[in-house]
Amino acid sequence: MGKERDILIVDDNQVVCDVLTELFRNEGFDSWGVATGEACLDEVNHASCKLVMLDVRLPGISGIEVLEAIRRDHPRTEVIIMTSHVSLETAVQALRLGAQDYLFKPFDDLEMVIATVNKALERRRMVEERDKLVHTLTDLAIENGRILAECRRVNSSLEEKVTQRTAELSKANLQQKAIIAELHEAKEAAEAANRAKSQFLANMSHEIRTPMNGVLGMAELLLHSELDEKQKSYVEMLHQSGESLLGIINDILNISKIEAGRLEIERIPFDLHETARGAVELYREVGRRKGVAVELQIEEDVPRCVVGDPNRLRQVLINVVNNGLKFTEKGSVQVRVTLVEQYQNGQYVAFEVKDTGIGIPADCIGNIFGLFAQVDGSTTRKYGGTGLGLAIAKQLVELMGGAIGVESEPGLGSTFTFIVFLHRHADQSPCDEEGGDTPVELDNSMIAAREGRKFNARVLLAEDNPVNCEVAFAMIAALGCQVDVAQDGREAVEAFTRQPYDLIFMDCQMPEMDGYQATRAIRQRELGSGRHTTVIALTAHAMAGAREHCLSAGMDDYLSKPFNLAQLQELIAKWTSPHLA
Ligand code: ADP
């Protein structure tokens, strides 16, 4: 189809055709004319045309028929009907069939003809605009649909991914839960193993301490008997070896307690000078025999009365001084106590132990505070020891809020320094716990210990182990007491029922009825009688809580095996009235 043209005039009247063609051309339109309906249809079929000015009365096919054909085949072409005034009905029919407008002939007013044509063309233009708009909207709707479909596709693939990821996450979650459950099980197993280890240590400690009590007690009894020089030295060696073995057992127990977090540091008032002096004093004689001077210097500003754990402090000091002496062949071991820093609630005190011994090689210094660490680990070791002492010392010092370190020069000697925090004694008057320079009132035990006094008490000893029974019996008897023996808890309760005692020494673990049950039975029988017989536990249990266990069963005091004569003497003095002493 050719280029779209503007106005086709269809009229068999040649004059009308020419006038109108000329008129529209003058108006700037591309217009032309034909004389018949057939020619008109021919034209519109070949070149599209915006507007057809159609005469109704034509030779051949009528204007109405042409109109119908144009409406049917060229809906975008507008048609204006030209008719005479008399055929108004034809005009109405043409409008019904889709003509845009009509003009009556002859044309009186050409301006109106042009206006009608412009109006028709304007309408067509608007229809075209509308069509374009509809087209654009349709395109947009299609594009919209496409985008929507794309969104759905992306969405569904996203949903797929989310489902997949969720599945992966829940799988990972399940795996994680399984791992946590495994870890939980492993933790419980480890805790159970740890409990078993603690129980094993408690049992072992009990089992070892029981025979040790026999060994040490018998050795001590022998030392107090008539012996010639050689026998005495043998027994002394026996006693010393027993003491060292006990020391090792205590070290192992200490480590296991520290590892289990069960070692507690006490906070009691004590005399710091006395504690340091007492610990160093123990080694002066050993040093003298070896030819090594053991000296102690306490600076003047170091407070005397402090609050802390005197036993643990003594333990650390003894360990370090003992090492100093052990590893020094000539020269000295000098102990210096200084005040490092004072605060409102206490002070840091430093203990420096300087020896002129073998020293420690630089590559070993970092390790000696570890468990079982020794510089000389060979089987031909010159010096004994377990390698536990410094590890325990380090832990204890840290529990006392301090630290320990060493400086050493092989061949020249070592200086161990440890610092601990000691609380201030609220009342700065002399300490009651450990005495000092100020004279303290001596209680029964101290008087008895000092004077080696004998007692006149009636004592019941409940002990099933024959050797330990023999040891305790001999020791208590040696202190002047009258002793009855019961071989288990039941016998002890029966003996108590038969006659009163000043003191009962009660072993804790016994067949038939143990010491705790026996003590409870005794306390039961005492109810309402106004009597209270002192019951002192004898136990080889040295683990934490043993003392509390005894006291809660109704016992009054506690003596840990192995014990020596002096400890026994002190306890009897403490619990018997002065007239018995
Ligand atoms: P041990 O029971 O073996 O003495 P310690 O833990 O007390 O255990 O000491 C560990 C090691 O540190 C010792 O075996 C020794 O090699 C070294 N050591 C400790 N103190 C001294 C010292 N004063 N001089 C030289 N070596 C020392």
Side-chain angles (χ1 to χ4, degrees), residues 60-61 130 239 357 384 386 431 463 491:
I61 57 171
R130 188 203 64 194
H239 194 257
T386 53
C431 322
E463 168 69 84
E491 278 188 22

Side-chain angles (χ1 to χ4, degrees), residues 32 48 80 99 175 187 193 209 323 355 396 406 415 456 495 538:
W32 79 110
S48 79
I80 294 175
Q175 281 170 346
K187 181 175 164 265
R209 279 164 173 273
N323 276 350
D355 66 53
L396 289 178
V406 61
T415 304
N456 186 24
L538 295 179

Side-chain angles (χ1 to χ4, degrees), residues 248 251 319-328 333 353-361 364-365 367-377 381 383-393 406 408 413-416:
I248 294 170
D251 275 357
N319 184 72
V320 180
V321 174
N322 183 37
N323 276 350
L325 203 52
K326 184 161 82 173
F327 295 105
T328 305
V333 175
V353 181
K354 185 174 182 177
D355 66 53
T356 53
I358 59 170
I360 303 166
C364 298
I365 263 196
N367 300 330
I368 59 168
F369 295 101
L371 282 180
F372 306 108
Q374 292 180 316
V375 172
D376 179 7
R381 274 187 316 138
Y383 308 95
T386 53
L388 284 175
L390 286 179
I392 295 173
V406 61
S408 188
S414 318
T415 304
F416 281 80

Side-chain angles (χ1 to χ4, degrees), residues 123-409:
R123 180 181 171 272
R124 184 178 180 278
R125 197 186 57 75
M126 281 172 71
V127 167
E128 267 181 354
E129 288 275 292
R130 188 203 64 194
D131 286 352
K132 257 194 226 158
L133 212 65
V134 169
H135 192 76
T136 309
L137 283 175
T138 311
D139 281 355
L140 276 177
I142 290 167
E143 181 62 10
N144 220 2
R146 196 190 58 74
I147 290 171
L148 212 69
E150 180 65 14
C151 277
R152 284 212 185 96
R153 196 187 57 73
V154 170
N155 202 16
S156 83
S157 96
L158 207 69
E159 270 173 16
E160 214 172 274
K161 278 187 187 148
V162 168
T163 317
Q164 194 183 337
R165 189 81 191 107
T166 310
E168 280 170 13
L169 280 177
S170 57
K171 193 175 157 199
N173 213 4
L174 282 177
Q175 281 170 346
Q176 208 174 26
K177 275 191 186 147
I179 291 171
I180 290 173
E182 271 175 34
L183 283 178
H184 191 71
E185 260 178 42
K187 181 175 164 265
E188 291 206 331
E191 279 172 358
N194 204 27
R195 277 195 299 275
K197 184 185 114 183
S198 296
Q199 189 55 47
F200 171 76
L201 275 167
N203 291 344
M204 280 307 289
S205 145
H206 180 266
E207 294 311 309
I208 296 172
R209 279 164 173 273
T210 305
M212 280 306 296
N213 189 45
V215 173
L216 285 175
M218 283 298 183
E220 201 174 357
L221 285 172
L222 268 176
L223 280 174
H224 285 83
S225 66
E226 292 290 315
L227 298 173
D228 65 30
E229 275 312 301
K230 203 167 187 180
Q231 286 169 327
K232 196 165 176 223
S233 91
Y234 286 167
V235 178
E236 265 169 4
M237 274 189 259
L238 177 70
H239 194 257
Q240 261 172 23
S241 306
E243 290 283 2
S244 331
L245 182 54
L246 193 63
I248 294 170
I249 297 167
N250 285 341
D251 275 357
I252 293 175
L253 264 181
N254 269 329
I255 278 295
S256 64
K257 273 194 219 169
I258 291 171
E259 278 186 345
R262 292 213 306 232
L263 194 133
E264 275 167 22
I265 293 294
E266 277 197 303
R267 260 211 211 183
I268 54 170
F270 69 98
D271 187 327
L272 178 57
H273 291 213
E274 267 314 301
T275 303
R277 217 167 271 142
V280 176
E281 207 58 48
L282 286 174
Y283 292 93
R284 228 188 266 283
E285 177 55 22
V286 188
R288 198 190 55 74
R289 271 189 252 144
K290 212 178 168 186
V292 177
V294 179
E295 289 155 10
L296 170 69
Q297 184 195 344
I298 303 176
E299 296 293 324
E300 260 178 24
D301 55 352
V302 175
R304 205 170 242 287
C305 277
V306 291
V307 174
D309 194 329
N311 294 321
R312 295 303 179 192
L313 182 61
R314 190 184 291 119
Q315 185 179 346
V316 177
L317 190 55
I318 282 179
N319 184 72
V320 180
V321 174
N322 183 37
N323 276 350
L325 203 52
K326 184 161 82 173
F327 295 105
T328 305
E329 295 306 331
K330 58 176 194 301
S332 63
V333 175
Q334 290 174 335
V335 183
R336 207 162 77 94
V337 187
T338 52
L339 178 66
V340 181
E341 205 155 0
Q342 203 148 22
Y343 294 93
Q344 212 165 14
N345 60 338
Q347 54 271 309
Y348 281 102
V349 178
F351 297 79
E352 188 187 275
V353 181
K354 185 174 182 177
D355 66 53
T356 53
I358 59 170
I360 303 166
D363 58 333
C364 298
I365 263 196
N367 300 330
I368 59 168
F369 295 101
L371 282 180
F372 306 108
Q374 292 180 316
V375 172
D376 179 7
S378 68
T379 47
T380 53
R381 274 187 316 138
K382 185 171 171 194
Y383 308 95
T386 53
L388 284 175
L390 286 179
I392 295 173
K394 179 173 187 289
Q395 302 279 352
L396 289 178
V397 164
E398 283 170 4
L399 283 172
M400 287 189 271
I404 186 166
V406 61
E407 280 179 359
S408 188
E409 191 77 45

Side-chain angles (χ1 to χ4, degrees), residues 199 202-203 205-206 209 508-509 516 539-543 546 558 560:
Q199 189 55 47
N203 291 344
S205 145
H206 180 266
R209 279 164 173 273
C508 292
Q509 275 191 352
Y516 308 111
T539 173
H541 275 300
M543 293 299 277
Y558 167 102
S560 174

